[in-house]
Amino acid sequence: MKKKQNAYMAMLPYIILAVVLVATMFIMNLANTKVNQLTTGELMAEINKKKVTEITITPKSSDNVYYVEGKLSGYGKNESFKSKVISEEVSKITEYIDENNIKKYETNKDPGSNDFLYVFVNVVPLLILVIVAYVMFNKLASGNNRSMDFGRSKAKLSEDGGNTKFEDVAGLKEEKQEVKELIDFLKNPKKFQKLGARIPKGVLLVGPPGTGKTLLAKAVAGEANVPFYYISGSDFVELFVGVGASRVRDMFKQAKQSAPCLIFIDEIDAVGRQRGTGLGGGHDEREQTLNQLLTEMDGFGANEGIIVIAATNRPDVLDPALLRPGRFDRQVTVSLPDSRERKEILEVHAKNKKFSDEVNLGNVSQRTPGFSGADLENLLNEAALLAVRRDKEKITMAEIDEATDRVLLGPAKTSRRITEKEKRLVAIHESGHAVIGLKLQAAQEVHKITIIPRGMAGGYTMMLPKEEKMAIMTKEELIGQITGLLGGRASEETFLGQITTGASDDLKRATKIARSMVTEYGMSDLGPIQLEEKQEGVFLGRDYAKSRDFSDQVALEIDQEVSKILDQCYKDAKKILEKNETLVLLLADALMKYETITKEQIEHIVATGSIDLLEEVESEEDKSVREARLDDLKREAKERGIKGYTKMNREELEDAISKDVTGEDEEPKEEDSE
């Protein structure tokens, strides 16, 4: 009731303003209207002079009197006359009207004698206005019209917490165990209070994008079966200073009325960034909002039964006061899934899809290290889209293999025209990477090599860890990674006698690893000392004016150590390639012929020293991938109207498509003529 009264009071100024405007317009209209009162004699005289241009006759039910209204020649737009005449004179007026073809409006009955007509004309418009105003007030009172409620919270309430349960969240075994305590507390708080335990007031979910932080919060709400408020951090920040703080107060006020309950704030770094940072000072609106959030979570007031869950992938920029005990007491790191968890995630997203018998999700999980849950969902969705595009009834390994490459590097550039010289250069480059991976013990395992352009890459070598382990690497493994990255450039220089720009990304990654070894990991002759902190995603304002922790002499030594590591790895790469020249050239020849070779085919080349019979060692999965690529080329050739495409092999199809794209003319082949 109080909320409705406040709504009515908020609308009162607008109602008064509307009434004043209507009254002003009515008065102005009356001021501009002129009505001349004429006697019967004056009216008859004007009629005899034929000056009457319009006339209206209205009979009066009593006294045998008629009301006459109209206009005379020479009157203005808003000027008219009025007169009363008796019935004997009306006949003369009527004759005049008929003779001079005057406009005439005659009512047969006096409106004043009809009660219903009087009510309809005078009361109904007012009644309609009252009904419209009532409907508007009700909408405002019910909260549908939020135009005046800048300070109201935008948090959405879900009474049952949603339908997401823990069984819908694949993997994250330890993370789910951490948040289960929150559910137990909400359902049975006395069990914790008996031993004097205090449940965390806030839980911060931290991890890379796409790992399932928001999904885990939904599952907590679904399992707890309590009111669940969810809001994004950006919903607090507004143009007007103080609005965000007001929204925080309103959100906790609503939550107290629904306690016990959960509040989930997604992307809290939008409002929880460190105060006093940024060029020129802080951000008043965001900082006031953060101050209010800090006060509500752990201030003078008590928030019993309210648990706040927040998610972010930038914990490094959050204000320290937000992370202290009593606010976000617990941080749960939601990391990238391992092989077992990736398989569980793939099985969840595969429930509504049809796969052929050759598809093994366990093998797919082994080939996708570093993929997040969102990446895996996107991979299967891309595979399904490719299967539909290829008019298949089920998803095969061909679609999954292509989808994996698309997620990593983008779609294949089948229409890009590549000269034989460029093709050979890319083949030599990728063979260099592969041979380092095959012959260097500390390097990663080679799974596939291709010279099909994708995205910005002219080709790539898929190298995966020999075994999945924690993110701890030895110095030998880091040196092996650098040597493998430099293998492409070393191969170009060794076997082609020239270097190209194709190794730019390899050099960037190798230099980054080498510098980290010197400045962060203490793996150089400078000793076990950390000279630089990891600064990925610099937060401008906090790190912009960061002081150097070393002298110019040490900076020179750092550069020298980085160059020393890179030079030694490059020399080692060249030695390995020179020692295995035959294998490099065999792999390059195989790539020139097949464009893509797999792990089994690489092992066949290493064992036999020949590229013959590679088709026979092709697995069923690889065979379906090759056939699917040929089908894609034929489909594209058909769409372009290339004649005789059904009789062309893969190389002829690619050549015909590339020439059609570049607009080159080509004499039709004999089999093209139909």
Side-chain angles (χ1 to χ4, degrees), residues 25 118 268 642:
M25 293 175 64
Y118 178 83
I268 194 173
I642 298 174

Side-chain angles (χ1 to χ4, degrees), residues 240-404:
F240 306 103
V241 176
V243 172
S246 177
R247 287 176 179 173
V248 171
R249 286 191 295 270
D250 187 64
M251 180 180 68
F252 276 89
K253 180 181 178 182
Q254 294 179 36
K256 289 175 184 177
Q257 297 171 354
S258 305
C261 68
L262 288 167
I263 297 176
F264 175 60
I265 306 175
D266 201 6
E267 305 297 345
I268 194 173
D269 52 276
V271 70
R273 291 196 173 208
Q274 185 174 350
R275 291 166 289 183
T277 55
L279 295 177
H283 187 294
D284 284 344
E285 164 61 3
R286 178 171 50 76
E287 292 185 6
Q288 285 193 24
T289 306
L290 174 59
N291 291 337
Q292 187 63 45
L293 181 62
L294 297 174
T295 303
E296 292 290 346
M297 289 190 69
D298 188 25
F300 284 103
N303 287 325
E304 298 296 335
I306 300 175
I307 296 177
V308 182
I309 303 176
T312 181
N313 49 30
R314 292 295 310 277
D316 55 310
V317 303
L318 295 180
D319 194 279
L322 199 61
L323 305 178
R324 74 157 173 80
R327 287 175 181 143
F328 284 106
D329 308 75
R330 181 178 297 176
Q331 290 190 31
V332 178
T333 302
V334 185
S335 55
L336 292 170
D338 58 20
S339 177
R340 176 185 55 81
E341 292 174 329
R342 288 197 298 272
K343 183 181 178 182
E344 294 177 4
I345 294 171
L346 288 168
E347 289 173 348
V348 169
H349 294 300
K351 288 180 180 178
N352 62 336
K353 297 177 176 63
K354 296 181 180 179
F355 294 90
S356 63
D357 296 335
E358 66 178 357
V359 175
N360 187 326
L361 295 180
N363 293 340
V364 176
S365 68
Q366 295 287 344
R367 296 168 58 180
T368 51
F371 277 47
S372 67
D375 291 331
L376 295 171
E377 189 276 335
N378 187 36
L379 186 150
L380 292 186
N381 184 63
E382 287 287 346
L385 293 175
L386 286 169
V388 173
R389 188 183 305 172
R390 294 169 177 174
D391 298 325
K392 292 187 177 181
E393 297 293 331
K394 295 182 178 180
I395 302 171
T396 66
M397 277 304 300
E399 285 73 49
I400 293 180
D401 185 81
E402 173 68 16
T404 304

Side-chain angles (χ1 to χ4, degrees), residues 46 66 94 97 145 376 416 519 663 667:
E46 298 294 343
Y66 287 79
T94 306
I97 291 172
N145 188 348
L376 295 171
R416 182 183 293 175
T519 61
E667 291 294 327

Side-chain angles (χ1 to χ4, degrees), residues 96-122:
Y96 172 78
I97 291 172
D98 295 336
E99 290 176 359
N100 294 278
N101 196 23
I102 303 299
K103 290 183 181 180
K104 172 190 173 187
Y105 307 91
E106 183 173 356
T107 55
N108 295 321
K109 195 173 183 183
D110 181 12
S113 63
N114 191 324
D115 295 336
F116 175 77
L117 189 60
Y118 178 83
V119 172
F120 183 81
V121 172
N122 294 280

Side-chain angles (χ1 to χ4, degrees), residues 67-84:
Y67 293 105
V68 180
E69 298 177 2
K71 287 191 173 185
L72 302 179
S73 59
Y75 274 14
K77 182 177 180 181
N78 296 322
E79 189 176 3
S80 63
F81 70 82
K82 283 186 178 181
S83 181
K84 290 183 181 180

